[in-house]
Amino acid sequence: MTKVALQAMWDAKDEEGYQKSLDMYEKAFELFPDSINNSGLYKSSVLASRLKDYDKAFGYLNSLIGRKMNKYGDPGYIYVLNSYAEGEYKNLLTDPRWSTLVKDAENYKALFYQRFEDNENEFYAIKAERFREIDKPEKLYKELKNFNPYKTKALQGYSISFNLDENFSTSFFIQLPENYSPDKKYPLLFILHGAVKHNSLAAYQLAEQVLGGWNRYYTKYAAENDVILAFPKGNKKFNWMVPNEGFFMIPEMLKLIKNGVNVDDNKVFISGHSNGATGSFSYLMKQPTEFAGFYGLNTYPKVFTGGTFIENIKNRSFMNFSTDQDYYYPPNANDQLTALMNEMNADYKEHRYKGFPHWFPEFDESEPAFQKLYDDLKTRTRDPFPKEITWEFDDNSNGQIDWLSNIKLDSLASKADWHKEINFKIDKWLEYKDKNSDILSEKEVDKNAFDLPRKSGKIVAKYEDNTFYIKTSAIKTFTINISPEMVDHSKRVKVYLNGKKYFNDKVDYDSNFMIENFERNRDRSQVWVNQIKIELK
C-alpha cells in the first residue's frame, strides 16, 4: 500500500494529488500499524507540509525523529537534519515548532552516535598487556605467542568507525558467532562489496544492511561454522581495487579487529563479488602475508594499479566462482587462466555455473558456491613460515611476503635471465547489445590479460637446516625475518645470496624488536624475534 502511495506522490501535480497520496499512507497506517516505518512517516510529513496541514506534519515528524534505524540505515532524526530538509519542509520553517523539532533531532543524533561510540569502546575493551615488564626474551616470545587479553562481548554485531585520512572516514561491520568465547580463536572472513564506483562511505552500518540479500549465504554458513565476518564500506576513491588510496584498508582493519576479538591468525580470508572479487585477487597478488586464502565470485583477475605478477599465487591460494554469461570477465579467459595456473601447479580452483549472469549471488542457485567456499575455508590454514617464497612486485609498498620484508627495487639494475614476464592474450569478450538488453553477444578483442606498466623486481627464496638460499632480480635491499620455528638459534645461520655466502653468524632474540613488530601487526602466529638485513652491491 505504501508503494502505491509513493507512486501517487510522484505522479501528483497539485494539492489534490498530494491529498490522494497522503490518504493512501494514512489508510495503510490504520490497517497495518505494526508495519509503519521511517520512510512512510517521512513521506507523510512531507505531504502534510505541502498541503499546509501543519499540525499533522509536525505530528508525523515528532513521531519520526526519535525512531531507530530502519533496514536502509536511516535513523528518524536524519530527515530533519539532512541537506534537503529545509527545501522539503519550507512551509514549516516559520512555525516556532520547527526550531524545537531541530533541537530535538540534534539531541537524538547525539544519543545515536554516543551509542555507537559506547559499543565501539566495549568492542575494543581488553585486558592490559605488560610485555615490556618481561626481562627474558625467550619468555617474551612465549607470552606473545599465547597472548590472550580478550573479554566477552555484549553484542553479536558491531559497527566500527574507520579513519581513511584527516578528512574522510567510513566503517566496517563485524558479525561474531552467536556463542563467541574470548578463549577460542576464530576464523575471520572479509566480505568486499562490488560496484565501488557507485558506493558511498558510511559512518555506520547495520546488520540488516549487510547480513542479508546477496550476503545471505555468507551469513548462513558463517553461523554454522563459527566464522567472524567483516564487511568494510568503500567508495570510488577508497576501496580495494583502484586507485591505491584505499588499499591499506583491509590489513589495517584486520589489526583493529585483532585488538578487540580473538582471531585465529592463520585463518583470515578475503572474499567478494565483482569489484570485491577483484579486490580479493589484488590482495593475493600484492599483500597476502596476513591471509590464509582468497575467494572471488565473478572475478576480474587482474591488478588495476600496476603489474599482475601471477606467480605470486604460489604463496597462497585462490578459488574463483564464475558464470558463463558474465560481461565482467569472459569464460574463455577464465579457461586460459585456469590452464596457466595448472601449468604453474598453483593452488587455484575455478567452479563454473552455467546459465547465470554477472550478479550470480542474487540467485538461490548460488548457494552451492558458498558451500564450497566454506568447505575450503574450514580445512585451509596459513603456513606462517613457508619453506619457499616466490615474490614479484613493482611498487616498494608491496615489498613484503611472510619472512621477507622491506624489499626494495633497484630501478637501475637489469633483470636476471630467469626473470620472465608471464601473460596471455584474450581474443573474445561478452557484452550486452545495449543498455536495455539482457542478451549477450561475443565480440573479438585483442588484449593482454595482465598489465605490466612498470619495471618489476623478483625474489625467490627458501630455507632448510639453518640456511637460506636466495636469488634476486632488480632488487636493492631486503630483510629476512627470523623465527625460532624456522632456525635453531644455538647454531649459526647462513645466507647464500645469488650463489655466494653473504651471512654466517648466530641470530639472538631481540626483545624490543619483538614487541615493536607485534604491536604493528598483532600476529601471534608469525612472531619474529630478530632479522637479517641484506644489501646487494
Side-chain angles (χ1 to χ4, degrees), residues 71-228:
K71 66 179 180 179
Y72 303 107
D74 296 326
Y77 71 79
I78 203 168
Y79 297 101
V80 173
L81 300 181
N82 65 31
S83 58
Y84 306 110
E86 291 193 357
E88 291 184 311
Y89 298 113
K90 60 183 179 181
N91 290 338
L92 306 181
L93 300 182
T94 57
D95 191 304
R97 288 175 289 182
W98 178 257
S99 59
T100 301
L101 183 76
V102 170
K103 290 179 182 178
D104 289 343
E106 289 173 342
N107 289 334
Y108 280 119
K109 179 180 179 180
L111 291 171
F112 176 82
Y113 277 98
Q114 185 61 53
R115 190 185 72 169
F116 274 107
E117 184 177 342
D118 291 343
N119 290 342
E120 189 169 317
N121 289 336
E122 188 266 328
F123 177 82
Y124 285 129
I126 58 174
K127 303 168 189 174
E129 58 186 55
R130 295 182 173 85
F131 297 139
R132 298 191 184 276
E133 298 176 8
I134 302 172
D135 55 355
K136 294 182 179 180
E138 291 87 353
K139 182 179 179 182
L140 173 61
Y141 176 76
K142 292 180 180 179
E143 288 291 328
L144 292 172
K145 294 285 289 184
N146 298 305
F147 183 53
N148 185 351
Y150 302 108
K151 298 181 178 181
T152 56
K153 295 300 167 192
L155 305 175
Q156 187 176 3
Y158 291 84
S159 182
I160 305 296
S161 59
F162 183 80
N163 290 327
L164 296 163
D165 61 21
E166 59 184 12
N167 298 313
F168 294 96
S169 63
T170 189
S171 61
F172 57 94
F173 187 87
I174 295 294
Q175 179 74 0
L176 301 177
E178 185 176 3
N179 298 312
Y180 170 81
S181 168
D183 297 322
K184 176 183 175 181
K185 293 181 179 180
Y186 291 85
L188 168 63
L189 176 62
F190 282 93
I191 312 299
L192 310 186
H193 67 70
V196 294
K197 290 184 178 180
H198 306 289
N199 268 268
S200 301
L201 304 178
Y204 54 83
Q205 297 184 69
L206 304 176
E208 293 85 351
Q209 292 173 297
V210 298
L211 298 181
W214 289 17
N215 293 330
R216 63 195 182 280
Y217 294 127
Y218 282 124
T219 303
K220 175 181 177 179
Y221 291 103
E224 291 183 6
N225 293 284
D226 280 349
V227 176
I228 299 172

Side-chain angles (χ1 to χ4, degrees), residues 5-6 8-9 15-29 40-41 43-49 51 53 56-57 60:
L6 179 60
M9 182 180 182
E15 288 189 1
E16 182 179 352
Y18 294 144
Q19 188 64 58
K20 178 182 177 182
S21 175
L22 181 58
D23 289 344
M24 290 181 179
Y25 273 113
E26 291 182 332
K27 185 65 174 177
F29 296 162
L41 290 172
K43 295 299 184 184
S44 297
S45 67
V46 171
L47 288 164
S49 174
L51 292 166
D53 191 338
K56 186 172 287 188
Y60 284 128

Side-chain angles (χ1 to χ4, degrees), residues 98 211 265 314 437 502:
W98 178 257
L211 298 181
D265 300 289
K314 291 181 177 180
S437 174
Y502 183 95

